[in-house]
Amino acid sequence: MPAVVLVGAQWGDEGKGKITDYLAEQADLVVRYQGGNNAGHTVQVGEEEFKLHLVPSGILYPGKTCIIGNGVVVDPGVLVQELEELQRRGIDTSGLRLSLRAHLILPYHKSLDAAEEERRGAGRLGTTGRGIGPAYVDKVARTGIRVCDLLDPEEFRQKLARNLKEKNEILTRIYGHPGYSLEEILEEYLAYAWKLRPLVADTGRLVNDALRAGKKVLFEGAQGTLLDLDQGTYPYVTSSYPVAGGACVGAGVGPTAIDAVIGVVKAYTTRVGEGPFPSEARDATGDYLRRRGAEFGTTTGRPRRCGWLDAVILRHAVEVNGLTGMALTKVDVLTGLSPLRICTAYRYKGEVLREFPASLKVLQECEPIYEEVPGWEEDITGARSLAELPAGCRAYIRRLEELVGVPVDIIAVGPRRDQTVAVRDLFSR
């Protein structure tokens, strides 16, 4: 199976960075296909911790080709800084390639993001303020500026001047912002262009050539299914397509190229920002999960809302992604909690809902229906096979598989690369 897509099956923050890093050892190419530096993947290698925002997690393995695809919106200043930090820590970044077709985040995108969020007041969406949404808005409005434009100074100047005329008017007249100088942005961004030029490539061709050659390609998504622009809890979503279908559009490959889709599932549920969350635990259990699981955003540091595992959400993720398997993360965090609860359905005005509703008004009024299962007390961080996990843990995993209808292929029993139980070999099965 040369092509595997890794997607978040909940509201993001499922531990995709660790799983991508684990699978990247077998892959030839690792491709990030959507989102921007609003995402953050934390990878722990031995005693070292790496926080990645734009660079694919496979960069931590020497000799891997890592690609930032056309579906990603790129803040070049953040990318340069991230590369310099990795290099400072001894990581070889020469295998990174950046798509010519990727769109740029510009300073006015970040200002508009912050101003629009502030104006929403109580209806705020909980954005990171990093300009992701406004950059995607420009992409859809066909006024975006791409990496290929940045490499052509005259083309970049013309497009930037055109955009600044409109953006400065919006910023000054509506939001009271002083606006931006064309020359200052040009000076800053053309310096980034000089640094990034050696990395830029037609990445879609690179990926397709690799697939034709039978190489192993891992597609890495950011955020999660319920933050997908179409399939998530709209409008409390991101501005791109984290679902598996987004890998095709965001990397430039056809759907027939994909062999397997793995949903990364946290052993409980978390989300950041606003919006309904039926299985949220607003009690000591939620505090326990947050503290024990270190549930604070990689990018923002914001505390995550925590709750019990929600099988309704996961069945939705199975359907819209076509999941062929799951990678279950942070199972060790549940040690010592008993009984464990799994939300199997919702109750809405006396009706039992087993499918995830589209309406946020309905979702807001849903009450979780829980099934209780025994927990376990044994430390599982040293387990390296399914047989080494305690009976209670194995029963929890089996019940999850029964409720959502797909197998668990990987189990993360700790944050380190080696704290992983491989149930199946994804690239060869």
Side-chain angles (χ1 to χ4, degrees):
M1 284 194 172
V4 175
V5 180
L6 201 67
V7 301
Q10 294 153 305
W11 272 290
D13 308 310
E14 300 95 347
K16 294 182 294 298
K18 174 192 164 76
I19 303 301
T20 305
D21 171 74
Y22 176 77
L23 291 174
E25 184 176 16
Q26 302 173 61
D28 298 301
L29 278 76
V30 182
V31 184
R32 168 78 180 277
Y33 62 84
Q34 50 75 225
N37 61 298
N38 55 338
H41 289 170
T42 301
V43 180
Q44 190 164 331
V45 182
E47 298 305 313
E48 283 201 87
E49 186 176 79
F50 295 87
K51 294 182 184 293
L52 303 170
H53 300 279
L54 283 168
V55 179
S57 304
I59 202 71
L60 302 178
Y61 287 99
K64 303 294 180 184
T65 299
C66 292
I67 287 174
I68 299 174
N70 59 270
V72 180
V73 287
V74 177
D75 185 325
V78 170
L79 179 55
V80 167
Q81 184 179 17
E82 191 168 331
L83 288 170
E84 289 175 348
E85 173 63 15
L86 286 168
Q87 291 160 5
R88 186 188 66 78
R89 296 179 67 178
I91 303 300
D92 178 13
T93 62
S94 62
L96 182 69
R97 296 293 178 266
L98 170 63
S99 174
L100 283 160
R101 292 177 169 87
H103 280 247
L104 299 175
I105 295 173
L106 289 132
Y108 51 76
H109 290 133
K110 290 179 273 191
S111 295
L112 286 168
D113 199 354
E116 289 165 2
E117 183 75 343
E118 183 179 356
R119 174 167 278 211
R120 291 184 187 106
R124 65 188 183 278
L125 302 177
T127 78
T128 60
R130 284 161 170 76
I132 311 300
Y136 277 114
V137 167
D138 279 5
K139 179 177 181 177
V140 174
R142 292 168 289 185
T143 58
I145 299 177
R146 301 186 295 170
V147 170
C148 59
D149 302 320
L150 181 63
L151 300 184
D152 182 335
E154 188 53 39
E155 183 76 0
F156 182 60
R157 173 185 283 274
Q158 290 178 11
K159 290 188 174 182
L160 181 61
R162 176 200 66 196
N163 283 4
L164 275 180
K165 185 177 180 181
E166 176 191 350
K167 303 302 181 185
N168 277 341
E169 191 166 350
I170 294 170
L171 286 166
T172 56
R173 292 195 177 191
I174 298 176
Y175 296 114
H177 187 283
Y180 286 96
S181 158
L182 172 65
E183 296 303 325
E184 286 179 3
I185 295 179
L186 277 173
E187 182 180 1
E188 178 187 357
Y189 273 62
L190 291 178
Y192 297 144
W194 182 82
K195 292 181 178 180
L196 295 175
R197 185 181 292 272
L199 308 177
V200 174
D202 182 348
T203 56
R205 184 171 298 280
L206 291 178
V207 177
N208 280 291
D209 285 349
L211 289 169
R212 279 190 289 268
K215 293 186 177 180
K216 297 173 181 177
V217 180
L218 179 64
F219 297 89
E220 174 190 30
Q223 288 92 26
T225 299
L226 292 189
L227 294 178
D228 185 86
L229 187 58
D230 277 357
Q231 303 299 336
T233 47
Y234 188 89
Y236 300 101
V237 292
T238 194
S239 301
S240 60
Y241 298 103
V243 295
C248 297
V249 179
V253 300
T256 54
I258 306 303
D259 298 295
V261 181
I262 305 302
V264 185
V265 177
K266 193 178 287 185
Y268 46 98
T269 309
T270 64
R271 79 169 298 180
V272 172
E274 309 302 320
F277 180 178
S279 69
E280 184 173 9
R282 298 184 182 89
D283 56 13
T285 298
D287 293 337
Y288 176 90
L289 293 170
R290 187 177 303 106
R291 183 179 65 255
R292 183 86 185 265
E295 295 296 349
F296 300 89
T298 302
T299 298
T300 63
R302 289 184 293 184
R304 296 173 185 142
R305 299 157 64 189
C306 299
W308 297 108
L309 191 68
D310 188 331
V312 182
I313 285 172
L314 296 178
R315 288 194 293 267
H316 177 67
V318 168
E319 192 166 83
V320 300
N321 291 292
L323 295 187
T324 57
M326 294 182 286
L328 188 61
T329 64
K330 291 201 169 183
V331 185
D332 54 300
V333 174
L334 297 182
T335 299
L337 276 178
S338 191
L340 299 172
R341 306 175 95 187
I342 301 175
C343 173
T344 58
Y346 302 148
R347 183 171 287 107
Y348 172 69
K349 295 185 176 180
E351 181 184 357
V352 175
L353 303 182
R354 300 193 179 278
E355 306 302 326
F356 192 71
S359 167
L360 256 65
K361 183 176 184 296
V362 172
L363 189 63
Q364 188 73 60
E365 298 178 30
C366 283
E367 296 178 5
I369 298 174
Y370 286 117
E371 175 181 308
E372 291 191 348
V373 296
W376 61 90
E377 296 292 333
E378 299 91 332
D379 179 10
I380 66 170
T381 56
R384 296 297 179 269
S385 70
L386 200 58
E388 293 178 80
L389 294 173
C393 183
R394 294 198 305 272
Y396 186 74
I397 293 167
R398 281 197 304 272
R399 186 60 183 139
L400 169 60
E401 292 176 325
E402 291 167 358
L403 286 167
V404 304
V406 296
V408 171
D409 293 320
I410 300 171
I411 304 161
V413 294
R416 296 198 315 269
R417 182 182 282 173
D418 65 309
Q419 291 178 310
T420 309
V421 173
V423 182
R424 296 172 188 84
D425 184 344
L426 297 179
F427 278 110
S428 64
R429 78 172 194 212

